Amino acid sequence: MDTRFPFVDWFRNSSPYINAHRGRTFVILIEGEAVAEGRGEQLIQDLALLHTLGVRLVVVQGIRPQVNQALETAGVTPARHHGRWVADEAVMARVERVAAEQRLWLESRLSLGLPNSPLHGVEMTVVSGNLVMAKPLGVREGVDFARSGEVRRVRDTAISGLLEQGSLVLLPPLGYSSTGEVFDLDAAEVAQKVATALTADKLILLGEASGLVDGRGELQRQLTPDEARDWLEDTAPGEELHRHLKSASAAARHGVSRTHLLSWRDHDALLGELFTRDGVGTMISRHQYEQLRAAQVGDVAGLLELLEPLEQRGMLVPRSRERLEYEIDDYVVIERDGMVIGCAALHVFQAAGMGELACVAVHVDYRGGARGDLLLTEVEKRARHQGLGSLFALTTHTAHWFFEHGFRTAELTDLPPLKRDTYNHARQSKVLVKSIR
């Protein structure tokens, strides 16, 4: 049924994610360019919304463009080495001042509660402090990095305590040492180290790029850290995408469930990534977001939901819950973020040396991505493992797909006797066979 309000359907579809994110810990890096380009207000509203939905937030502020502007105004040109500037006293004075200004600006915006403002009625306590300990980079390749540093330790217990109290924790790219010094840190490294120390549920990096795009212009929705390594080698140290990809991969390897690369230029990126099944950017995770696996009894409800529209159109023979449960070991499924979006079954006729490729289905929203090919390949592999020499299929609607994948037209007499005897003549399904030797 169509609705007069499109957002209502979106809201209904997002409800599982609203529930799933409640009480979770997200570390979000907002690069300074977002604020410099006027996107700060919108992002603050999105942060407030996440807070009201019960998400525990740690926000890391990037300040590079603001510091660059301050240095340019002061006529200071910092030395650079391997993508990092040398934070001498002149540079560090601007870093500290800008960090304080940006923190105060963000705190003031998160305190806004006028009746005509999006944050009306939302009370947020923002806390910052000496929560990240640092050490100097020191002298590297003959270059003294002065007060440029790296993260030594995250005070995770203190941060967790603040989150438990309902506070939003705000962290500038600064670190503190036991000798009382302040060091300039890479914001992406701060976000990664904090996310890892907290074993955060998500690390979200908002930068210029809307994820990883291949040579054909296609967005890579999901990668493992190992798959991301090749992309990292194609970027230069110091580039934003290099820093973000390096931090995302490291966090994924060290216990952060999911890391996300998003663009702050996309006004819908943050909420779109968190409250839709497919998201809008690139996710890096140790575990596959979409995976092909053997079906389990717990998948039966998802299979019924996937197959029902195809059964209603006459494309598949109706299957009861009891039948699916009984035959569940014959099935393979493609699962995407907890949803069954594809399936296929291999019914074995061992005496005839044949297997039936049955119930090949892909959700309408996920067709065109070679998932049918993936299911067929897996069924063929299973069939060969069991010593079968051929596959057969019965179809009323999709004969051409089978032809394209090596099947040929066959006769009813080519089927195993048991299948031949139970053939439904009313459906007049075409008989197709493929050798897999």
Side-chain angles (χ1 to χ4, degrees), residues 10 47 84 111 151 156 182 268 315 329 331 362 373 406 421:
W10 179 88
L47 294 176
R84 289 287 298 271
S111 300
V151 176
D156 54 297
V182 181
D268 301 326
M315 297 177 70
D329 290 339
Y331 282 79
V362 177
D373 298 8
D421 293 344

Side-chain angles (χ1 to χ4, degrees), residues 412-433:
L412 188 60
T413 54
D414 295 319
L415 296 179
L418 181 59
K419 191 67 181 180
R420 186 170 60 239
D421 293 344
T422 58
Y423 178 83
N424 186 345
H425 290 272
R427 284 179 58 82
Q428 288 295 301
S429 300
K430 293 183 181 296
V431 179
L432 306 173
V433 174

Side-chain angles (χ1 to χ4, degrees), residues 1 59 85 128 131 135 170 260 329 362-363 386 394 404-405 425 436:
M1 180 183 297
V59 178
W85 57 39
S128 189
L131 299 168
K135 60 182 179 180
L170 177 62
H260 305 260
D329 290 339
V362 177
H363 192 283
Q386 297 193 49
L394 303 178
E404 291 167 359
H405 290 81
H425 290 272
I436 57 172

Side-chain angles (χ1 to χ4, degrees), residues 277-293:
R277 187 171 302 278
D278 295 326
V280 298
T282 296
M283 182 176 71
I284 298 175
S285 171
R286 285 186 302 168
H287 306 292
Q288 288 289 341
Y289 179 63
E290 180 174 310
Q291 60 176 324
L292 174 69
R293 59 171 175 79

Side-chain angles (χ1 to χ4, degrees), residues 53 116 123 136 159 204 247 249 259 337 377 387 391-392 435:
L53 293 175
N116 61 346
E123 286 195 0
I159 294 175
I204 301 171
S247 294
S249 298
T259 64
D337 198 23
T377 299
L391 289 176
F392 70 87
S435 173

Side-chain angles (χ1 to χ4, degrees), residues 8 48 103 137 153 172 249 253 261 361-362 375:
V8 173
R103 177 179 63 82
L137 285 175
R153 180 173 60 88
S249 298
R253 287 193 182 96
L261 304 180
V362 177
L375 290 164

Side-chain angles (χ1 to χ4, degrees), residues 6 86 177 277 374:
V86 175
S177 74
R277 187 171 302 278
L374 186 66

Side-chain angles (χ1 to χ4, degrees), residues 79-359:
R80 295 180 179 272
H81 188 64
H82 286 314
R84 289 287 298 271
W85 57 39
V86 175
D88 58 21
E89 293 303 319
V91 170
M92 201 62 199
R94 275 75 187 180
V95 169
E96 292 175 357
R97 190 190 74 204
V98 169
E101 292 172 348
Q102 292 299 303
R103 177 179 63 82
L104 290 172
W105 178 83
L106 198 147
E107 287 178 353
S108 69
R109 304 316 293 168
L110 286 169
S111 300
L112 184 64
L114 296 175
N116 61 346
S117 70
L119 273 67
H120 176 58
V122 179
E123 286 195 0
M124 298 181 65
T125 301
V126 183
V127 180
S128 189
N130 60 337
L131 299 168
V132 176
M133 308 308 291
K135 60 182 179 180
L137 285 175
V139 179
R140 303 194 179 188
E141 298 179 353
V143 176
D144 187 345
F145 276 90
R147 289 171 65 187
S148 293
E150 58 187 348
V151 176
R152 180 176 185 177
R153 180 173 60 88
V154 173
R155 297 179 60 198
D156 54 297
T157 301
I159 294 175
S160 295
L162 293 168
L163 295 174
E164 286 290 339
Q165 296 170 20
S167 300
L168 181 151
V169 176
L170 177 62
L171 300 175
L174 298 175
Y176 304 85
S177 74
S178 56
T179 59
E181 294 177 286
V182 181
F183 290 95
D184 174 58
L185 304 178
D186 176 68
E189 184 199 4
V190 172
Q192 178 248 309
K193 295 292 187 180
V194 170
T196 301
L198 296 175
T199 317
D201 299 282
K202 289 184 182 293
L203 168 62
I204 301 171
L205 305 166
L206 285 160
E208 180 76 26
S210 55
L212 301 174
V213 179
D214 65 18
R216 295 173 296 179
E218 295 182 0
L219 177 67
Q220 303 300 293
R221 297 286 187 181
Q222 195 252 335
L223 298 172
T224 64
D226 289 340
E227 291 169 336
R229 186 180 296 116
D230 292 338
W231 293 83
L232 189 62
E233 292 174 355
D234 290 337
T235 59
E239 288 184 358
E240 182 181 89
L241 187 57
H242 180 93
R243 297 186 301 105
H244 285 196
L245 189 54
K246 181 179 179 182
S247 294
S249 298
R253 287 193 182 96
H254 292 92
V256 178
S257 299
R258 293 177 178 178
T259 64
H260 305 260
L261 304 180
L262 306 175
S263 174
W264 51 262
R265 290 191 179 278
D266 181 351
H267 286 220
D268 301 326
L270 184 55
L271 300 184
E273 184 74 3
L274 294 175
F275 296 104
T276 62
R277 187 171 302 278
D278 295 326
V280 298
T282 296
M283 182 176 71
I284 298 175
S285 171
R286 285 186 302 168
H287 306 292
Q288 288 289 341
Y289 179 63
E290 180 174 310
Q291 60 176 324
L292 174 69
R293 59 171 175 79
Q296 304 167 358
V297 172
D299 296 317
V300 169
L303 286 168
L304 288 168
E305 186 175 349
L306 172 67
L307 300 178
E308 183 182 12
L310 299 176
E311 293 171 354
Q312 291 177 349
R313 293 168 58 188
M315 297 177 70
L316 293 176
V317 176
R319 290 165 171 79
S320 67
R321 177 182 291 272
E322 291 74 18
R323 179 180 173 183
L324 286 172
E325 289 178 351
Y326 181 75
E327 297 178 341
I328 196 65
D329 290 339
D330 293 351
Y331 282 79
V332 292
V333 298
I334 298 176
E335 178 191 1
R336 184 178 180 85
D337 198 23
M339 174 183 177
V340 175
I341 65 166
C343 71
L346 172 66
H347 303 314
V348 176
F349 295 81
Q350 196 71 54
M354 301 182 77
E356 180 183 9
L357 172 62
C359 202

